[in-house]
Amino acid sequence: MHKIPLIQAPTPLHKLISFQENNVYAKRDDMTDLALGGNKARKAEYYLADAIECGCSHIVTYGSTESNHCRIVAAGAAKLGFSCTLVLSEPSEPPSYDGNFFMYDLLGANIVYAPVERVSVVIDETTEKLRSKGENPYFIPGGGHGNLGTHAYVKAYEELEEQKRSGNLWFDYIFLASGTGTTQAGILIGSRIFDHYDEQVIGISVARSTSRGEEVIRESICDYIAEYDLDVCIRCQDVILIDGYVGGGYGVIYPEVVDTVRRVARCEGIILDPVYTGKAFWGMMQYVAENELTGKNILFWHTGGIPLFFSHRDSFRNHD
């Protein structure tokens, strides 16, 4: 698969100093650089390269009102000279001019709103309207879902493997925030390609139930393995998604997450966001405590989302 360079890589692998019971590291994909970085930047490298190869002129994608994916796609499109339209799920209230929503405007993206039940219809209408105006649109699935998105994290794991070898490291557990599932699918495939069958890749869900989320991840894994005819064995029980830290739902912030973001900021100088990585880090800490893990090598894969930290600042100001 071809990609177009958009990020700073390899991203750093930092050991955290404030977790003494285990050796905890962070893979800093919040530092991929493109428009404040994040895991979606790795995926955008492949999707936008494909758009160029297909001779397309206009990028269309879908996401929430404050989607990290949409921010990154808008940034990559602007950098490469594409026009860009974001189909956003229609919010219940007018969005504040902040966070990712502010960056959509900064990056020059067009916005089309769609009620949740009409998303696919609005996407089709949007791309057809662009064709009628002489454009050649290229659609990127929400969250970068698909084999190109999965591949980005198979390659990201390859990058991690080089860092592990140079540092004489191994990991017992890898934790990450899991949404659409392709990041987790790619990391798990990469882990098994390198025969690390004793390495547990654990997704902390930010929205989906365990049953639905694991099903989607398995589908991504099967699609990728089938398309590229990989000789790799991944068992059903290797796909682990924990939904116990979603709280009241996607984007709903609760006190433990706020406390976790504060602790990591004050002890490590690393910023998490309260929607994705804050929940995932809190989930990781709880998993470690509940399973009484000590002396383990643990990796937290920081998937970015920094603008969400600022757009939810009131959650911190109003929290004792």
Side-chain angles (χ1 to χ4, degrees):
M1 295 183 187
H2 300 293
K3 71 175 182 178
I4 188 160
L6 293 173
I7 72 169
Q8 298 293 324
T11 56
L13 184 63
H14 289 160
K15 185 172 183 182
L16 306 187
I17 61 175
S18 57
F19 298 88
Q20 300 300 320
E21 298 84 1
N22 295 281
N23 301 308
V24 181
Y25 293 78
K27 175 66 170 162
R28 300 291 305 277
D29 274 12
D30 57 315
M31 299 176 68
T32 50
D33 184 55
L34 180 67
L36 299 182
N39 62 326
K40 307 303 182 183
R42 291 189 186 269
K43 302 177 185 185
E45 289 189 315
Y46 289 94
Y47 278 107
L48 292 173
D50 193 45
I52 291 171
E53 291 183 6
C54 293
C56 296
S57 61
H58 198 118
I59 305 299
V60 179
T61 194
Y62 166 73
S64 64
T65 310
E66 282 225 41
S67 163
N68 293 314
H69 164 73
C70 286
R71 163 177 50 91
I72 290 294
V73 168
K79 182 172 183 176
L80 298 173
F82 289 104
S83 298
C84 180
T85 296
L86 308 177
V87 178
L88 305 181
S89 54
E90 194 168 58
S92 56
E93 300 177 0
S96 61
Y97 193 63
D98 205 345
N100 284 326
F101 192 79
F102 160 63
M103 294 190 70
Y104 301 158
D105 181 52
L106 182 70
L107 295 164
N110 306 305
I111 292 176
V112 175
Y113 289 112
V116 173
E117 66 276 7
R118 295 192 73 248
V119 166
S120 60
V121 173
V122 173
I123 289 170
D124 290 342
E125 290 174 348
T126 300
T127 53
E128 187 56 40
K129 186 179 294 184
L130 290 168
R131 290 190 188 97
S132 71
K133 294 179 179 179
E135 297 270 21
N136 185 12
Y138 182 93
F139 179 67
I140 301 177
H145 190 78
N147 283 343
L148 290 175
T150 301
H151 184 70
Y153 268 85
V154 173
K155 298 300 288 183
Y157 189 92
E158 185 178 305
E159 175 184 300
L160 173 66
E161 185 68 10
E162 288 298 317
Q163 292 174 310
K164 288 160 61 180
R165 288 177 178 176
S166 64
N168 193 28
L169 282 172
W170 73 94
F171 292 110
D172 301 295
Y173 298 89
I174 296 176
F175 290 87
L176 72 151
S178 194
T180 60
T182 48
T183 299
Q184 185 172 346
I187 291 171
L188 183 53
I189 293 168
S191 173
R192 298 321 187 237
I193 286 174
F194 285 99
D195 291 327
H196 299 315
Y197 285 90
D198 54 349
E199 190 175 69
Q200 290 193 49
V201 178
I202 300 177
I204 304 298
S205 178
V206 298
R208 287 176 171 149
S209 67
T210 292
S211 58
R212 176 56 182 156
E214 288 184 349
E215 178 185 9
V216 171
I217 295 166
R218 287 193 293 267
E219 288 172 355
S220 293
I221 290 169
C222 291
D223 287 348
Y224 185 85
I225 289 174
E227 181 167 350
Y228 300 102
D229 195 25
L230 291 182
D231 183 16
V232 60
C233 175
I234 299 178
R235 304 163 301 176
C236 283
Q237 59 264 40
D238 291 337
V239 179
I240 305 171
L241 183 73
I242 299 173
D243 64 5
Y245 306 99
V246 173
Y250 175 75
V252 178
I253 301 164
Y254 50 92
E256 292 85 351
V257 174
V258 174
D259 289 340
T260 299
V261 173
R262 276 206 177 119
R263 175 185 174 183
V264 175
R266 293 175 180 179
C267 295
E268 303 291 344
I270 294 174
I271 304 301
L272 306 174
D273 81 272
V275 176
Y276 289 91
T277 53
K279 285 186 177 181
F281 204 98
W282 165 242
M284 177 183 75
M285 290 170 57
Q286 287 299 101
Y287 184 95
V288 167
E290 290 167 4
N291 289 277
E292 300 180 345
L293 300 182
T294 57
K296 302 296 184 182
N297 287 356
I298 298 171
L299 178 68
F300 179 77
W301 205 307
H302 192 327
T303 51
I306 297 304
L308 295 172
F309 172 79
F310 295 101
S311 58
H312 291 279
R313 60 185 178 274
D314 285 347
S315 298
F316 293 82
R317 182 167 56 190
N318 298 330
H319 177 68
D320 293 332

